[in-house]
Amino acid sequence: MKKLFKISSVVTIALVLLLSSCSKKSESSDKKIPVTFAGTEAATTGQSRMMQAVADRLNATGRFSATVQVAGALSGDTDALVTQAKLGVSLVVPSDPGRLASQFKIPDLNILMAPYILTDPASLKKLPDTALFKEWQAELEKQGIVYITNMYNGFRCFYTTKPVAHVGDLSGLRIRGFGNAIGNNLAKYFGFANIGISWGEVFPGIQQKTLDGCEVQVATADGSRLYEVVKNIAMTKHYMLQSAFVCSANFYNSLSPSDRDIFVKTMREAALEYGEIIRNEEAGYYDNMKNHGVTITDVDIAEFQKAIEPLYTNNDLGFSAGLKDRLFKELNE
């Protein structure tokens, strides 16, 4: 393992040196700015299509040479991709606030993905202008990452082999969820066993009955053909999933002010546009689930919200005092 780690480190360093050498700041130069958008979702998802749209728009300016690598082409591990960006590789990576909170030890970031806190995708339009977002940006930049924007990527619900209508129905089930503080605490208060495995292991895990289901957004569930192995969806909408786009601070700071403005503006506009596209496409995915024999249950969300309340009274996520009120105030909600 140590030998493999050393080889991996050498390869990563070589990539850093190669890509960094292509990222010199020079607005007057005829050289185009190379950057790669790298993700783990399939090319057909809204997240992947958004990155392709951004790359196309950046390339159309004549200033950038942007490419897109999705479906785990560079790595199937989001944290590994973010780490490469942190080390200086010219990457833009869609992570999520919960992952970033754990990976970079910024507990307050968890509030963006905490159960039943943000429930309206429209709030993401105002988020980058808040003082909180700018503080998180500063903390991440110190660690080599620039936080650009968030995009709505679907509400997460439970997809199970057994019907789930109440919180108690989750008790004892083996559910694949986020392997971070948010995922572990959701499992703690909802009563299921949280299995933090890679997404590629979910379908065979359910098929082989080592898993009883997962919690996920409908576009990913449909794209993975989960309807072949699960026949129940509980519409808990416990997380408003967000793609939190980050890039290498080395790459970002190599850009001239005007190129940086183009880059950020293009990213934020596309995030809002594709967030709405994703939202509008969800009904079709649910219809396809029904057409494949999946039963969709509209649960009493208030019951699930009540079950999660101790997470906040006990402050299991370690939020700063008054964080929720401050976030809502800055979002004018």
Side-chain angles (χ1 to χ4, degrees):
M1 287 300 292
K2 288 183 178 178
K3 187 174 181 181
L4 286 172
F5 179 76
K6 288 179 181 177
I7 294 171
S8 176
S9 298
V10 170
V11 172
T12 299
I13 291 168
L15 278 169
V16 170
L17 292 173
L18 175 64
L19 293 173
S20 295
S21 67
C22 299
S23 301
K24 304 296 182 183
K25 183 196 289 187
S26 176
E27 191 167 6
S28 60
S29 171
D30 290 332
K31 279 190 174 182
K32 293 182 179 180
I33 303 159
V35 61
T36 299
F37 291 78
T40 60
E41 291 189 1
T44 55
T45 69
Q47 176 179 280
S48 296
R49 284 150 45 207
M50 177 271 193
M51 291 193 290
Q52 186 62 60
V54 171
D56 292 343
R57 293 171 194 180
L58 290 176
N59 290 339
T61 68
R63 294 290 305 142
F64 292 83
S65 176
T67 57
V68 180
Q69 298 285 342
V70 295
L74 294 186
S75 174
D77 185 334
T78 296
D79 290 351
L81 289 171
V82 173
T83 297
Q84 288 187 47
K86 174 183 175 179
L87 292 172
V89 181
S90 297
L91 292 179
V92 179
V93 182
S95 182
D96 69 67
R99 282 181 179 273
L100 294 176
S102 293
Q103 191 171 1
F104 293 94
K105 296 179 172 52
I106 308 174
D108 282 356
L109 248 179
N110 275 316
I111 197 164
L112 297 179
M113 278 279 295
Y116 300 115
I117 296 292
L118 291 185
T119 58
D120 183 0
S123 63
L124 299 183
K125 181 177 182 179
K126 296 175 275 188
L127 183 62
D129 296 322
T130 64
L132 269 172
F133 188 88
K134 290 178 171 63
E135 289 173 16
W136 294 326
Q137 276 186 315
E139 289 185 65
L140 286 167
E141 189 162 0
K142 288 176 187 174
Q143 300 185 59
I145 290 295
V146 173
Y147 194 3
I148 309 163
T149 195
N150 281 22
M151 181 184 76
Y152 172 76
N153 201 16
F155 283 102
R156 288 175 76 105
C157 299
F158 288 98
Y159 292 68
T160 54
T161 55
K162 301 175 182 178
V164 171
H166 302 283
V167 174
D169 296 331
L170 289 167
S171 181
L173 297 187
R174 293 169 55 83
I175 302 290
R176 187 272 186 181
F178 289 130
N180 54 26
I182 287 179
N184 291 333
N185 277 286
L186 186 81
K188 174 182 175 181
Y189 291 109
F190 281 180
F192 62 89
N194 188 39
I195 313 297
I197 58 176
S198 68
W199 180 251
E201 297 176 75
V202 172
F203 189 103
I206 298 172
Q207 196 171 42
Q208 294 161 19
K209 299 184 179 179
T210 58
L211 285 178
D212 299 304
C214 61
E215 55 89 18
V216 71
Q217 64 276 19
V218 68
T220 298
D222 184 79
S224 299
R225 302 175 69 89
L226 276 191
Y227 46 74
E228 294 182 2
V229 289
V230 299
K231 293 302 176 183
N232 300 279
I233 303 174
M235 295 294 289
T236 52
K237 296 186 178 181
H238 47 274
Y239 300 140
M240 188 178 83
L241 181 64
Q242 299 146 57
S243 296
F245 288 93
V246 296
C247 71
S248 162
N250 182 67
F251 159 74
Y252 185 83
N253 292 323
S254 75
L255 300 175
S256 68
S258 61
D259 288 332
R260 196 177 301 156
D261 288 345
I262 290 169
F263 174 73
V264 172
K265 186 172 184 287
T266 303
M267 287 286 299
R268 289 183 176 174
E269 287 178 351
L272 293 174
E273 176 187 339
Y274 275 82
E276 190 62 25
I277 288 171
I278 290 167
R279 193 176 185 183
N280 291 334
E281 288 177 344
E282 288 179 332
Y285 289 129
Y286 283 119
D287 285 342
N288 194 45
M289 288 281 172
K290 290 178 185 176
N291 292 339
H292 282 89
V294 176
T295 299
I296 299 177
T297 301
D298 290 318
V299 302
D300 179 4
I301 287 180
E303 178 190 342
F304 288 81
Q305 289 174 318
K306 182 170 180 162
I308 209 69
E309 281 177 4
L311 172 66
Y312 302 111
T313 56
N314 297 333
N315 198 21
D316 290 297
L317 294 174
F319 291 151
S320 299
L323 179 65
K324 179 181 174 182
D325 290 340
R326 182 184 170 193
L327 177 62
F328 286 177
K329 182 178 180 181
E330 292 184 10
L331 290 172
N332 297 314
E333 292 188 358

